[in-house]
Amino acid sequence: AVSVGLLPRILVQLQKTWPTVRARVLIGNSLEVMQSLEAQKINLGVVEGHFAFPGLNVQTFGQDELVPIVSTKHAWAHKHGISDGELAEQPLILAERGSAARQTVENYLKKNGILSQVDSIISINSSEALIAAVESGLGIGFTSRLVLNRLQSTKTIKELFLKNGSLFQPLSFSLRKGEAPQGPASEVIQLLLAGLQPAEPELSRGI
């Protein structure tokens, strides 16, 4: 979700202030990004969630909502909201294991005692593929507000809400301990701390 909702705007800003710099971007789930940072393959990690690694400093700069979505042709498209019990009755389409989004949703299901009751869980490793699966009517998806903001308006996806309360996860950046951000990495952090966020979504909630 970070790569879809935040990365394009960050790269535009960097191009303006560092026109001769060629950024190298590694896109992966949260765990993969943190492991790549620890292995010195990248200099800065920006992820969903807050992962603890002994050699890394992690700082939260915002939060992202995880939103349940269905196809507009789904029987639930006109619901006011969905209960935890109803979630267990439908196939759930989630991000792959290792992603903060997957961990956040599973923690929510476990906390409310329904993880073991879920009909089935389908793992998908990209936001675009997850949304396409929901559009096809495969099940109920959970996706990032950052991603929905990029969609703007759509006639194929309907946003629902959880009767038990909205689901949020932190947004974080990370550096190796003992290293100070320099150049473009420093500017990325400044942009994040200054509140670089996508515009409010035009996608309406289920009614």
Side-chain angles (χ1 to χ4, degrees), residues 125-143:
N125 64 0
S126 80
S127 299
E128 294 82 357
L130 189 152
I131 289 173
V134 171
E135 287 175 325
S136 72
L138 196 57
I140 310 302
F142 276 83
T143 193

Side-chain angles (χ1 to χ4, degrees), residues 144-162:
S144 160
R145 171 66 66 195
L146 293 173
V147 173
L148 291 182
N149 287 359
R150 293 290 296 174
L151 284 178
Q152 298 299 318
S153 60
T154 176
K155 297 181 179 179
T156 58
I157 291 294
K158 190 65 175 287
E159 177 185 336
L160 301 175
F161 64 91
L162 298 171

Side-chain angles (χ1 to χ4, degrees), residues 1-13:
V2 168
S3 64
V4 175
L6 290 180
L7 181 61
R9 300 187 68 193
I10 290 173
L11 292 178
V12 167
Q13 292 295 327

Side-chain angles (χ1 to χ4, degrees), residues 6 14 19 25 29 41 55 92 129 133 146 176 185 187 198-199:
L6 290 180
L14 288 182
V25 178
N29 64 46
K41 295 180 180 179
L92 297 184
L146 293 173
R176 285 183 291 274
E187 180 164 352

Side-chain angles (χ1 to χ4, degrees), residues 22 58 63 118 151 182:
R22 296 294 177 263
V58 181
Q63 68 177 7
V118 172
L151 284 178
Q182 298 180 354

Side-chain angles (χ1 to χ4, degrees), residues 47 49-50 58-63 169-174 192-193:
V47 299
H50 191 104
V58 181
Q59 181 173 338
T60 298
F61 66 87
Q63 68 177 7
Q169 62 182 355
L171 298 172
S172 308
F173 65 82
S174 185
L192 296 175
L193 292 176

